[in-house]
Amino acid sequence: MVPRFPETTIVNLDKLTYAGNLQSLRTIESAPNYTFVHGDICDLDLIQRLFAQYNFTTVVHFAAESHVDRSIHAPIDFVKSNVEGTVSLLQAARAAWSNSDQRQCRFLHVSTDEVFGALGASGKFTIDTHYAPRSPYAASKAAADHFVRAYATTYDLPVVISNCSNNYGPYQFPEKLIPLAIVRALEMAPIPVYSRGENVRDWLHVEDHCEALALMLRQGLNGETYLVGGSGECSNLGLLRLLLTIVDEELDRPAGTSLSLITFVKDRPGHDFRYAIDASKLITELGWEPNHTLAAGLRTTVKWYLANRPWLKAVMDETYRTYLQTQYSV
Ligand SMILES: NC(=O)c1ccc[n+]([C@@H]2O[C@H](COP(=O)([O-])OP(=O)(O)OC[C@H]3O[C@@H](n4cnc5c(N)ncnc54)[C@H](O)[C@@H]3O)[C@@H](O)[C@H]2O)c1
């Protein structure tokens, strides 16, 4: 398979933490314009060597520790990868691009709506919403966003920042709610849900997120921030009702079989009640629109997980199963 942008050389740097998986890259690994490098974004020497070797004009910065629950138990890992790692990339880009025409370069920082904190029953996050992160994960991403803006102001680094709502879709590590529920339903095992499942998230299919990022790369204005969300608001319980109905249909199970596995567990400390995104800037200025409705996107996601059991088996190893048991006591 040839990745999008066939005229572009793509170098994918990843530390392959528990969340990274070479099997997820099988479809592009032999593409002529693609190279994988196993490494850590905190390793400034490595990043500088890669800049010298490939003369990058673009950085799309996805790498992060991303799971809120893990950030509650190991916040320093999040400071390292999300803050120090981001600064290391910024530093290398700044040094490499200082003598080139920076208008040809772009540092796209992929961030989250969680930097804005939590909403009540109404309202949406806008580009004017003040930062108010409430978990160590959100705080580390907020700190990274501030560093990206500081490099733009202080060193004229050509940056664009994206703050996106909750993603779902294929290849997602089954610690996030949707793949976790699918995996547990497949195994007829309890599906842990915090408190009474009333927390609301604004769900977006990962391909719609990536389309938004591609638009920002091509047409986004330097120094700008774009919020990405598909108006897919749903309570966790509402989402699971929709998802598990699809799982039962796809597995030819009696209706309600998977729903009966839902098990309410003690709430996450500081659990943000609601997120919702106002994506009007991205829509009006860059012409973005999501292509997946939540119902259709969930169905293709369920079908993907059912068709990719070897991938699931590989990521559901003993270490992860033990983690699940410790985390949720289920
Ligand atoms: N998943 C979501 O709902 C969502 C929503 C908005 C924004 N984001 C952001 O998108 C990005 C990707 O999220 P995800 O859900 O795919 O995360 P993930 O945790 O599933 O994957 C993170 C990837 O980064 C790699 N990585 C972690 N630390 C690294 C380091 N120090 N050096 C190099 N590689 C490292 C991991 O090996 C893994 O491949 C993150 O920056 C996250 O904050 C995610």
Side-chain angles (χ1 to χ4, degrees):
M1 179 185 168
V2 178
R4 292 266 297 274
F5 312 112
E7 71 291 351
T8 304
T9 301
I10 296 170
V11 178
N12 177 13
L13 172 73
D14 197 296
K15 188 177 170 184
L16 296 178
T17 66
Y18 74 93
N21 183 349
L22 283 179
Q23 289 195 43
S24 303
L25 299 165
R26 289 281 179 254
T27 57
I28 53 166
E29 67 185 8
S30 55
N33 61 335
Y34 172 82
T35 303
F36 179 81
V37 177
H38 184 199
D40 189 331
I41 53 169
C42 297
D43 183 348
L44 183 55
D45 286 346
L46 169 68
I47 310 292
Q48 284 176 328
R49 280 201 307 279
L50 291 173
F51 264 92
Q53 185 178 348
Y54 291 100
N55 284 318
F56 299 130
T57 52
T58 306
V59 174
V60 186
H61 175 26
F62 285 103
E65 289 292 340
S66 73
H67 192 44
V68 174
D69 288 341
R70 289 183 191 254
S71 81
I72 292 167
H73 298 295
I76 290 174
D77 293 350
F78 285 67
V79 176
K80 286 215 167 79
S81 284
N82 300 359
V83 187
E84 188 188 328
T86 299
V87 178
S88 147
L89 288 174
L90 289 165
Q91 190 63 8
R94 176 194 159 210
W97 295 344
S98 59
N99 294 324
S100 57
D101 181 357
Q102 293 215 5
R103 282 169 305 178
Q104 305 302 319
C105 302
R106 171 137 299 177
F107 189 110
L108 175 56
H109 176 61
V110 182
S111 188
T112 166
D113 60 353
E114 299 189 32
V115 297
F116 301 121
L119 291 166
S122 62
K124 291 187 173 194
F125 297 134
T126 73
I127 46 163
D128 297 320
T129 304
H130 288 165
Y131 276 41
R134 289 161 38 91
S135 70
Y137 164 62
S140 68
K141 293 295 287 190
D145 292 10
H146 291 320
F147 269 105
V148 174
R149 288 199 183 91
Y151 268 68
T153 311
T154 311
Y155 308 112
D156 283 331
L157 199 75
V159 307
V160 173
I161 296 179
S162 155
N163 295 98
C164 186
S165 60
N166 281 51
N167 283 207
Y168 69 95
Y171 296 108
Q172 191 168 36
F173 189 80
E175 67 185 348
K176 306 276 167 63
L177 182 61
I178 289 174
L180 176 66
I182 297 172
V183 170
R184 303 290 283 190
L186 267 176
E187 296 181 349
M188 286 299 291
I191 300 170
V193 179
Y194 281 128
S195 187
R196 305 302 299 169
E198 287 161 349
N199 301 66
V200 175
R201 299 294 179 258
D202 185 351
W203 294 95
L204 184 72
H205 194 280
V206 64
E207 286 168 6
D208 287 325
H209 185 184
C210 290
E211 287 301 328
L213 295 171
L215 279 172
M216 288 177 219
L217 271 183
R218 287 193 299 262
Q219 300 167 34
L221 298 180
N222 271 346
E224 291 292 320
T225 296
Y226 299 90
L227 268 53
V228 195
S231 299
E233 264 192 73
C234 210
S235 71
N236 287 343
L237 196 53
L239 177 90
L240 288 175
R241 287 206 179 104
L242 196 58
L243 177 74
L244 296 174
T245 303
I246 296 171
V247 170
D248 287 345
E249 285 167 6
E250 294 295 329
L251 288 173
D252 281 330
R253 281 179 178 170
T257 308
S258 300
L259 264 182
S260 69
L261 299 170
I262 288 180
T263 306
F264 294 114
V265 298
K266 187 170 176 281
D267 207 0
R268 165 195 283 165
H271 200 172
D272 291 343
F273 174 61
R274 177 172 162 263
Y275 307 137
I277 288 275
D278 172 357
S280 53
K281 176 176 171 179
L282 181 68
I283 293 165
T284 54
E285 294 183 13
L286 302 189
W288 176 81
E289 56 178 345
N291 287 318
H292 300 262
T293 61
L294 186 56
L298 287 178
R299 187 164 301 269
T300 53
T301 302
V302 169
K303 282 177 188 282
W304 187 89
Y305 279 93
L306 297 186
N308 286 275
R309 311 254 184 129
W311 182 91
L312 256 188
K313 192 162 181 270
V315 298
M316 291 291 294
D317 62 10
E318 266 324 297
T319 318
Y320 181 53
R321 284 179 188 281
T322 311
Y323 166 82
L324 268 182
Q325 215 151 23
T326 326
Q327 176 66 28
Y328 304 109
S329 312
V330 290

